[in-house]
Amino acid sequence: MNPFFPSSWLGILGGGQLGRYFSQAAQDLGYSVCVLDPDEDSPAGKIAQNFIRADYLDKVALAEFAKTCVAASTEFENVPAKVLDWLIEQNVYVAPVSRPVSIAQNRTAEKEFLSNCSKKTGIQTAPYCIITSTQDCKNIAGDMFPAILKTTRLGYDGKGQKTIKEPNDLENAWFDLGQVECILEKKLDLAFEVSAIVARSFDNEVAIFPVAQNKHRNGILHLSIVPAPSLSESQEKEILEATKTIIRELDYVGVLCVEYFVLGDGTLIVNEIAPRPHNSGHHTLDSCFTSQFEQQVRTLARLPLGKTDLIQPVVMLNLLGDIWFDDNNQLIQPEWDKVLSIPSAKLHLYGKTEPKLARKMGHINFLAENIESAMSDATLAMEILGIPKE
Ligand code: ADP
Ligand code: MG
């Protein structure tokens, strides 16, 4: 298979910040980009050479998209799988294809796939079972509790989830989630969380970024730290190997993120996969030789993968819309000048017009000699921006 050389048109389904960075990386390499997204305020739509503003199932829009692009990828996790199949029928090269994307879209399929992989990786999922009826709610063994009930579809950033203390609470929680198919997972005692981002080319070359340690707040990623300070060398090695096995087992072409939990006794647990670049890989924009987005472009254009080495330790701080509001809920402008007076800070804003509470608006990468110094700069920026310490 030949590469698609620069000045060809590459397409991206989804035009959020991930699509914006994909577009920038593609444009840096000399490609033209076509974005399909329903949102008028699409961060990627604003910079693409062609922005088709339409629903993912709009036939006329998809026909224009297919006519424009030689190859297409996705940044929106819930892009209908049949759209990817249809694009292939139109002779568009698509990576990743629908099978791995559908697995990642459905927690049941995802957990089954990951537990199958555990035979090769040695890393298990949390104990889980599938809930599709009130009868299922009554048949769960007591040792599954406390537990987390998660809808199998459309959950993200902790949405579509409920923590359940005891068996009697399960049925009500399932009703609250709309009686849709769910999985119930044993709630584990996490010491910390990490993620690994990996890329695979059409000819089975695999390149992996260093593992990130992630802190969440209210279910949303707050900080990513690389190298992961709490991970031992052998744990990091095990995670890197497992992640490479997972991407090969999925027969996946493109960029994939795999999330892991580390328990108090050092046990590793694999949690979920995302079939695209990931928020916990935004540090690569400044900290790594190749960013996760350039890697996505390379996989899509059938080019060799880039080197993934970490150039400097980094802390990534997510910026949510909350910092645009003062204590009286009045709109303010964050003090970017003060933030940018921190020498280690690389500020990224996504160009979204309307700040909203909990909306991802941007991030800052702090690059320093060591994690401690990057972390203390991140803390200083949090003070400037009014982001609470805990
Ligand atoms: P999402 O798709 O919303 O990211 P996750 O499965 O990653 O869903 O869950 C969100 C967060 O909830 C995780 O990052 C972790 O902090 C916590 N969590 C999820 N599953 C478990 C579990 N089985 N035990 C303990 N904590 C969990
Ligand atoms: Mg997650």
Side-chain angles (χ1 to χ4, degrees), residues 131-137 149-152 170-182:
I131 306 283
T132 56
S133 66
T134 40
Q135 197 50 43
D136 290 341
C137 295
L149 188 66
K150 304 179 180 176
T151 60
T152 51
L170 179 55
E171 206 172 316
N172 276 340
W174 186 59
F175 271 73
D176 287 348
L177 288 179
Q179 291 171 284
V180 290
E181 185 182 315
C182 287

Side-chain angles (χ1 to χ4, degrees), residues 245-370:
T245 302
I246 287 169
I247 199 168
R248 290 198 177 103
E249 289 291 307
L250 262 183
D251 196 14
Y252 184 99
V253 177
V255 172
L256 177 82
C257 175
V258 186
E259 293 181 5
Y260 295 88
F261 300 149
V262 184
L263 308 186
D265 65 359
T267 307
L268 301 176
I269 298 287
V270 58
N271 178 39
E272 62 169 355
I273 57 177
R276 48 171 175 76
H278 192 260
N279 197 167
S280 65
H282 285 4
H283 69 89
T284 61
L285 285 163
D286 301 305
S287 68
C288 288
F289 196 83
T290 307
S291 78
Q292 60 171 348
F293 303 101
E294 180 180 338
Q295 209 71 303
Q296 184 185 21
V297 172
R298 286 172 180 244
T299 58
L300 186 60
R302 301 198 295 233
L303 292 167
L305 299 182
K307 198 163 82 134
T308 51
D309 303 38
L310 187 75
I311 296 165
Q312 266 206 303
V314 60
V315 170
M316 187 227 48
L317 170 69
N318 252 352
L319 302 175
L320 305 182
D322 305 49
I323 61 173
W324 273 258
F325 296 92
D326 68 12
D327 293 345
N328 302 316
N329 235 2
Q330 296 300 306
L331 211 55
I332 53 162
Q333 189 57 243
E335 295 180 294
W336 301 124
D337 49 343
K338 287 195 185 154
V339 170
L340 288 170
S341 73
I342 304 172
S344 67
K346 295 284 283 181
L347 174 65
H348 296 259
L349 294 170
Y350 307 145
K352 295 182 183 177
T353 341
E354 200 190 341
K356 289 183 199 155
L357 295 180
R359 186 179 199 199
K360 289 176 183 171
M361 299 294 289
H363 66 272
I364 312 173
N365 290 330
F366 298 91
L367 299 148
E369 292 297 300
N370 53 54

Side-chain angles (χ1 to χ4, degrees), residues 77 104 107 110-111 125-128 146-148 150-151 154-161 163 183-190 192-193 214-221 259-261 263 269 271-273 276 278:
E77 189 153 339
R107 288 193 198 276
E110 181 180 55
K111 285 280 189 246
T125 65
Y128 70 96
I148 303 179
K150 304 179 180 176
T151 60
L154 303 174
Y156 69 99
D157 286 347
K159 292 191 179 67
Q161 297 193 10
T163 300
I183 62 167
L184 184 76
E185 266 181 58
K186 190 176 169 71
K187 187 171 194 299
L188 303 171
D189 197 6
L190 314 186
F192 58 97
E193 299 185 49
N214 303 319
K215 287 191 184 157
H216 299 84
R217 276 188 184 175
N218 305 318
I220 305 174
L221 185 67
E259 293 181 5
Y260 295 88
F261 300 149
L263 308 186
I269 298 287
N271 178 39
E272 62 169 355
I273 57 177
R276 48 171 175 76
H278 192 260

